[in-house]
């Protein structure tokens, strides 16, 4: 077998010095370097400032994709849920989000497609807000919230996750840059099956929960609710679910 000839490039030297010969970059090496530079540039362009807290976050997805991914995951979730929009507390749910949405929207560069439904599930003590503003409140959490202010604590927290873009930030971190870049390029197949879990249903990390708490308290205060009432709600939540916050 013939040995592959190596290509070298002569680099000019100063007068009186010998020329320096170095191995010329291969086509594959140039491709890898170009890909690395592209990802580095994408990383620089994808550092975004989180509303209210000002934290710098790495998120490859543009905020418009929060709405697209959230809307699809929302439709898939509601298709398997039993809605209870005629529940006695449903008007209260709508009042709370109607007060929180305008103050949250002020911190966003695009208009989210806000929507809320009540899900009939007395065993699930939870509520959530998808990226892009699609929300659900399970009937199981309503006895814990007790009143409108208690529910404002919950929904301020959940909206906090959405406007901080925790869902697509986690997607960027967990599925890897290549899958996210494929999605941006129009290949939705790999992310579609995982979207709901990554965007909202997996438990959040401690730093994300604390940031959502911070944002949520600011939102509910701006909406005219007393944030001091959050203490009583979280005590009731700890008793009802062993200390786990709504996801």
């Amino acid at each position: 077998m013939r040995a592959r000839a190596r290509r070298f490039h002569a680099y000019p030297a100063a007068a009186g010095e010998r020329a320096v010969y170095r191995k010329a970059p291969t086509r594959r090496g140039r491709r890898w370097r170009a890909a690395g530079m592209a990802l580095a540039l994408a990383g620089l362009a994808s550092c975004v400032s989180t509303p209210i807290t000002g934290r710098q976050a790495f998120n490859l997805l543009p905020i418009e994709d929060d709405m697209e991914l959230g809307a699809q995951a929302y439709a898939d979730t509601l298709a398997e849920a039993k809605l209870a929009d005629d529940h006695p507390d449903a008007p209260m749910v709508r009042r709370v989000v109607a007060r929180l949405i305008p103050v949250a929207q002020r911190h966003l560069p695009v208009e989210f497609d806000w929507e809320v439904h009540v899900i009939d599930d007395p065993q699930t003590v939870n509520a959530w807000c998808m990226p892009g503003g699609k929300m659900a409140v399970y009937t199981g959490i309503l006895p814990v919230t007790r009143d409108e202010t208690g529910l404002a604590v919950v929904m301020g927290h959940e909206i906090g996750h959405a406007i901080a873009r925790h869902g697509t930030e986690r997607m960027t971190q967990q599925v890897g840059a290549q899958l996210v870049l494929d999605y941006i390029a129009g290949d939705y197949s790999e992310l579609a099956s995982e979207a709901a879990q990554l965007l909202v249903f997996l438990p959040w990390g401690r730093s994300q929960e604390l940031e959502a708490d911070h944002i949520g308290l600011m939102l509910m205060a701006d909406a005219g609710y007393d944030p001091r009432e959050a203490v009583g709600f979280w005590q009731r939540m700890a008793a009802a679910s062993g200390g786990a916050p709504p996801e």
Side-chain angles (χ1 to χ4, degrees):
M1 183 172 64
R2 292 177 58 188
R4 181 181 298 174
R6 293 188 176 183
R7 293 179 297 167
F8 291 85
H9 180 77
Y11 291 81
E17 295 182 1
R18 296 178 59 184
V20 178
Y21 288 84
R22 295 178 185 165
K23 186 178 177 182
T26 64
R27 183 177 299 175
R28 178 179 296 177
R30 286 194 296 269
R31 283 201 300 266
W32 278 110
R33 278 195 291 277
M37 289 176 65
L39 284 173
L41 289 171
L44 289 173
S46 302
C47 287
V48 295
S49 181
T50 303
I52 298 178
T53 67
R55 177 181 64 89
Q56 292 298 301
F58 176 62
N59 194 332
L60 283 171
L61 290 161
I63 193 169
E64 291 79 8
D65 285 345
D66 286 44
M67 292 184 284
E68 184 172 350
L69 285 163
Q72 183 58 57
Y74 194 59
D76 293 344
T77 302
L78 294 190
E80 300 178 0
K82 181 182 178 183
L83 299 186
D85 289 329
D86 57 352
H87 187 277
D89 285 331
M92 178 184 71
V93 171
R94 291 189 284 270
R95 283 196 306 273
V96 169
V97 299
R99 289 173 64 175
L100 290 170
I101 286 170
V103 298
Q105 185 59 57
R106 288 202 297 266
H107 298 283
L108 294 166
V110 298
E111 187 79 24
F112 272 10
D113 187 14
W114 303 96
E115 184 178 352
V116 65
H117 287 284
V118 178
I119 294 178
D120 185 9
D121 187 346
Q123 303 307 311
T124 299
V125 183
N126 200 16
W128 41 258
C129 181
M130 292 278 183
K134 304 290 191 182
M135 296 170 275
V137 176
Y138 292 80
T139 55
I141 202 170
L142 294 172
V144 184
T145 62
R146 290 189 182 173
D147 56 24
E148 195 166 321
T149 303
L151 186 59
V153 177
V154 175
M155 298 315 294
H157 176 94
E158 299 306 324
I159 290 171
H161 282 303
I163 71 170
R165 305 188 61 209
H166 287 160
T168 49
E169 182 184 9
R170 175 163 63 186
M171 184 172 282
T172 294
Q173 293 169 347
Q174 293 194 7
V175 305
Q178 187 56 55
L179 282 182
V180 173
L181 292 173
D182 287 346
Y183 170 80
I184 294 170
D187 181 0
Y188 308 100
S189 57
E190 293 282 353
L191 290 180
S193 61
E194 301 180 66
Q197 292 296 317
L198 288 168
L199 294 175
V200 76
F201 290 130
L202 289 176
W204 298 111
R206 184 62 178 161
S207 62
Q208 292 165 322
E209 291 288 9
L210 287 173
E211 187 168 56
D213 282 343
H214 180 169
I215 295 172
L217 291 172
M218 298 297 289
L219 294 179
M220 67 178 293
D222 286 349
Y225 294 106
D226 185 353
R228 292 173 296 183
E229 294 297 318
V231 176
F233 165 76
W234 289 117
Q235 289 172 343
R236 296 193 299 273
M237 188 71 186
S241 58
E247 296 175 357

